[in-house]
Amino acid sequence: MNPEILLRSPAFSDPFLVVGMAGVALMLGYIATQWWAATRRYAFEAQRSRLELAALGKKIDVLNLKAQAAPEVAWNGYRKFTVAKKVEECNDTFSYYLSPHNGRPLPSFKPGQYLTFEVQPPGAPKAQIRCYSLSDGALSDDHYRVTIKRYMKEDGTPGVVSNYFADHVSEGDLLNVKAPSGKFYLDVEVDRPVVLISGGIGITPMLAMARVLTHINDKREIYFFFGCRSGVDHMFRDEVIELQKKNPNMRLHICYSRPDEGDVKGQDYNHHSRVTVDLMKEVLPSSNFEYYLCGPGPFMDSLVSGLYEWGVPKKDVKFEAFGPATVKSGAKDATPKAAADTPAFEIEFSRSGKKVAWDPSSANLHAFAEKNGIPIDFSCGAGSCGSCLVAVKKGNVEYDLEPGHEVDEGSCLTCISRPCSNMVIDA
Ligand SMILES: Cc1cc2nc3c(=O)[nH]c(=O)nc-3n(C[C@H](O)[C@H](O)[C@H](O)COP(=O)(O)OP(=O)(O)OC[C@H]3O[C@@H](n4cnc5c(N)ncnc54)[C@H](O)[C@@H]3O)c2cc1C
C-alpha cells in the first residue's frame, strides 16, 4: 500500500490511536528482543553443557584407562599368551591378537608402548628377545594386538624373529610376553594438537595413539601422515579410514613414493611423494604441534632434522627407534667422538678380568665390549628390550637416546650408552 494513503487514513488522524500503536509496536519490539536474547542464552548454555559433558566423558574414559592400568593386574617377567587370531594386514605383514593364557584381565597401556617377546625359533642358538609396539588402542582388557612385518637384512637374509612369526606362529600357539612398557607414548591428558608421522611398519604406535584419541572422543586436531611405497604396502588402510570417519578432527595424508598402476590418487592415497617436512609446511596451519614419529632410519633422520630446522622445539619432537639404525639425528650425539675430544677413560670388565682404554670411535659400550671379545647379550639396539643391561660397579654413562626400558640404579643399557668416567662393569 502507498505509505501516503496509509498516513492520510482516519486511524492516523487520531493522535491517541497513533501513540497507542507506537506503544504496542515498542512493546512487541521489546518482547522480540528479550525472546531473542533468551534463545541465544539457552543455545549458549546448551552448547556449554554439551562441552562440559564431553570433557567429563573424556575424563571418565581416561580414568577408566588408568584404572585398567592398575599395578595389581600388571605382571613381572614373562606371561603366557595364546595367539587368538592372526590376520594378514598387507604384503608380509601380520597382526597377532594375543589373549592371556590364564584368562585374567589385562592391564591397559599407554598408546605408543610395546610388548617384549621371548621366542625360540628353530635353528637359533638361544632364545631371542624382540619388542613389538601395540597397534590397538588401550581399548580392551582381554587381548592385545601387535603387528609384525617380515624384516629382510641388507644382505638379503631374513630377520630371525619377524620371519619366525610370519612362517611359524599360528593361531593357538603360546608365546612368552613381558608387560607393556616404553617411554614413547602420547599423554592423553595433555591437550595439544598432534601430528602423527609414520613410514611402513612404523605406523603401529601411531595407530594406537589415533585409536585411543578417537575412543575417548578427544577434540584435539590430529594430522596423520603415513608413507609407504604403493598400495601393496599400505597396511591398515580400511581401519584408518574408519577412524577418520569417526573422528572429524583427524586429517589423513597418505603418501605413496612409487604408486602402482592400479593405485588411484585421491582414493588410495593423497600425495605422490615421500612424507617430508615440505609437505607438512604445505598442509599444516603452523608448526605449533606435538610431533610423534616412527619409521625407517633415513625417513626418521630427514624428518627429525627437518622439523628442528623448521624451528620445532626438540621437546615437541618425539620418536621411537625400531632398531639401532634409526634416528641418528635424534640421538644426543651419536657420532663417535674424535680421540682428542674425549678423556682417556679406563673400562674394567670385572668378570672377564679385562681392563681396556675406552675407544672413542666405538658407537656404544656394547660395541666396545664386543670388539674386545666380551660377550654381552643384545637384541633391539635401541634401549628398549633390556637384553644388554649390565650392572655397573663403578662409574657413570651417558645415553644417546632416552632408554625405553627401566634402568635401575647401578646398571646401564650398554647398547645406547657411552662412558663419561672410568668404569667397572660386571661383564
Ligand atoms: C620399541 C620397538 C618397537 C618395535 N615395534 C615393531 C612393530 O610394531 N612391528 C615390527 O615389525 N617391528 C617392530 N620393531 C622391530 C623388531 O623388534 C625387530 O627388530 C624386527 O622385527 C627385526 O627383527 P628380526 O629378528 O626379524 O631381525 P634380526 O634377525 O634381528 O635382524 C635385524 C637386525 O639385524 C641388523 N641388520 C640389518 N641388516 C643387517 C645386515 N646386513 N647384516 C647384519 N645385520 C644386519 C639390524 O641392525 C637389526 O638389528 C620394534 C622394535 C623396537 C625396539
Side-chain angles (χ1 to χ4, degrees):
M1 184 192 277
N2 184 338
E4 276 186 35
I5 298 173
L6 184 71
L7 284 173
R8 266 190 256 119
S9 74
F12 281 87
S13 57
D14 180 347
F16 288 109
L17 198 57
V18 170
V19 171
M21 280 169 71
V24 169
L26 273 176
M27 183 75 80
L28 284 175
Y30 176 76
I31 291 170
T33 322
Q34 289 300 309
W35 175 80
W36 174 240
T39 312
R40 283 187 51 133
R41 231 184 356 259
Y42 174 76
F44 175 75
E45 289 298 334
Q47 170 74 354
R48 199 165 70 175
S49 307
R50 268 198 301 278
L51 288 175
E52 276 172 3
L53 264 180
L56 189 66
K58 181 182 160 188
K59 268 190 195 148
I60 290 170
D61 281 334
V62 170
L63 285 174
N64 279 340
L65 289 181
K66 278 187 178 167
Q68 277 179 38
E72 55 271 23
V73 282
W75 69 96
N76 286 321
Y78 288 101
R79 179 171 171 183
K80 293 264 181 244
F81 278 75
T82 309
V83 178
K85 196 162 65 158
K86 178 175 178 179
V87 176
E88 186 165 10
E89 298 293 355
C90 74
N91 204 19
D92 282 338
T93 305
F94 298 88
S95 280
Y96 302 82
Y97 291 76
L98 308 170
S99 304
H101 186 52
N102 62 9
R104 296 234 191 93
L106 290 175
S108 177
F109 57 91
K110 294 177 174 148
Q113 289 192 309
Y114 55 83
L115 296 177
T116 304
F117 292 75
E118 186 194 52
V119 292
Q120 178 64 68
K126 57 179 180 148
Q128 302 286 308
I129 295 168
R130 296 288 184 279
C131 306
Y132 292 103
S133 303
L134 288 141
S135 56
D136 233 335
L139 315 177
S140 148
D141 70 349
D142 66 357
H143 77 270
Y144 291 138
R145 181 180 74 176
V146 292
T147 307
I148 304 179
K149 186 174 174 62
R150 269 185 207 275
Y151 181 81
M152 302 307 282
K153 298 183 192 180
E154 276 161 27
D155 62 5
T157 52
V160 177
V161 174
S162 58
N163 285 275
Y164 167 72
F165 265 92
D167 297 330
H168 297 284
V169 174
S170 345
E171 290 175 9
D173 285 354
L174 284 178
L175 294 168
N176 288 331
V177 185
K178 276 192 187 173
S181 57
K183 297 197 176 125
F184 173 74
Y185 58 79
L186 189 143
D187 186 346
V188 290
E189 289 178 82
V190 176
D191 254 334
R192 279 199 67 194
V194 288
V195 183
L196 308 178
I197 310 166
S198 57
I201 191 63
I203 192 174
T204 48
M206 306 305 157
L207 190 53
M209 292 177 190
R211 284 181 68 91
V212 166
L213 289 178
T214 306
H215 174 69
I216 63 170
N217 206 12
D218 190 286
K219 293 284 176 266
R220 83 187 71 189
E221 261 185 299
I222 307 170
Y223 281 84
F224 192 109
F225 290 87
F226 171 69
C228 61
R229 196 180 53 86
S230 69
V232 182
D233 307 305
H234 189 167
M235 55 193 84
F236 297 114
R237 184 205 316 246
D238 296 343
E239 192 170 320
V240 171
I241 290 173
E242 269 310 299
L243 271 185
Q244 194 197 20
K245 280 187 194 152
K246 284 189 195 148
N247 188 341
N249 303 314
M250 181 165 132
R251 290 177 183 80
L252 262 188
H253 289 276
I254 305 294
C255 301
Y256 285 4
S257 59
R258 268 186 291 152
D260 289 330
E261 264 180 28
D263 295 330
V264 181
K265 193 170 175 186
Q267 183 182 307
D268 299 314
Y269 66 103
N270 310 100
H271 309 279
H272 180 176
S273 72
R274 293 178 192 282
V275 182
T276 61
V277 173
D278 282 341
L279 177 60
M280 275 164 223
K281 288 179 185 169
E282 242 174 67
V283 301
L284 298 179
S286 77
S287 62
N288 188 13
F289 285 82
E290 251 183 8
Y291 296 80
Y292 291 82
L293 296 97
C294 190
F299 170 96
M300 299 268 275
D301 278 337
S302 72
L303 284 165
V304 170
S305 51
L307 288 172
Y308 293 160
E309 276 160 30
W310 192 17
V312 179
K314 287 200 169 181
K315 68 167 181 53
D316 289 341
V317 181
K318 296 158 199 238
F319 52 78
E320 180 78 293
F322 269 9
T326 344
V327 201
K328 289 191 210 79
S329 58
K332 273 183 205 140
D333 180 11
T335 27
K337 291 190 173 88
D341 300 339
T342 318
F345 298 133
E346 187 180 68
I347 313 297
E348 182 180 340
F349 295 97
S350 60
R351 253 189 292 150
S352 317
K354 261 194 182 176
K355 272 188 194 169
V356 212
W358 168 248
D359 173 1
S361 70
S362 298
N364 50 56
L365 266 172
H366 186 274
F368 176 68
E370 204 168 52
K371 205 154 63 180
N372 286 288
I374 292 148
I376 298 178
D377 268 354
F378 175 80
S379 173
C380 72
S384 305
C385 70
S387 307
C388 70
L389 194 80
V390 296
V392 175
K393 292 180 166 173
K394 199 177 121 193
N396 295 306
V397 293
E398 57 184 0
Y399 284 103
D400 290 332
L401 295 169
E402 192 189 351
H405 193 276
E406 282 307 318
V407 188
D408 296 333
E409 187 83 7
S411 59
C412 81
L413 289 165
T414 52
C415 77
I416 54 165
S417 62
R418 285 184 277 182
C420 50
S421 70
N422 291 334
M423 295 188 75
V424 181
I425 293 174
D426 183 34

